[in-house]
Amino acid sequence: MPNYYPPIRSGAASADRDNNLWILPTTTTQSKNGELVYDVVNRKGELFERVRLPAGRSLAGFGVGGVVYLMWSDGDKGYYIERTHVVR
């Protein structure tokens, strides 16, 4: 058993279509109600923003120009994909 949590979750780094790297830390103090909070790193290697997903949503993919595809489930009916933009 390790003495500490790894800094990021396994498989929790994704590149978007705008050449940024989205990293989901193992733990974060930025999460208020259990929602996912990603650290976004630019091509210079700088952390330039944090993106908080709405509660119950997970990252499904990316489009160009800050477009993000989110996935959610309503339980019995299945899974849904929604398209949104990162508000900067």
Side-chain angles (χ1 to χ4, degrees):
M1 177 175 268
N3 293 331
Y4 59 91
Y5 287 108
I8 63 171
R9 300 174 190 195
S10 177
S14 300
D16 68 13
R17 302 283 307 269
D18 299 319
N19 297 315
N20 300 311
L21 183 64
W22 289 52
I23 302 168
L24 182 61
T26 302
T27 60
T28 181
T29 58
Q30 302 293 320
S31 180
K32 296 177 181 175
N33 297 310
E35 69 275 17
L36 299 176
V37 180
Y38 282 84
D39 293 338
V40 183
V41 178
N42 62 19
R43 293 183 81 173
K44 298 176 187 176
E46 303 164 336
L47 173 65
F48 79 100
E49 67 184 349
R50 286 201 165 99
V51 177
R52 180 185 319 275
L53 301 185
R57 303 301 199 264
S58 60
L59 191 58
F62 301 99
V64 178
V67 172
V68 180
Y69 295 95
L70 303 177
M71 180 176 61
W72 61 280
S73 173
D74 69 352
D76 297 337
K77 294 182 183 177
Y79 289 91
Y80 299 90
I81 299 286
E82 62 188 12
R83 180 180 185 262
T84 187
H85 287 86
V86 175
V87 178
R88 296 194 163 107

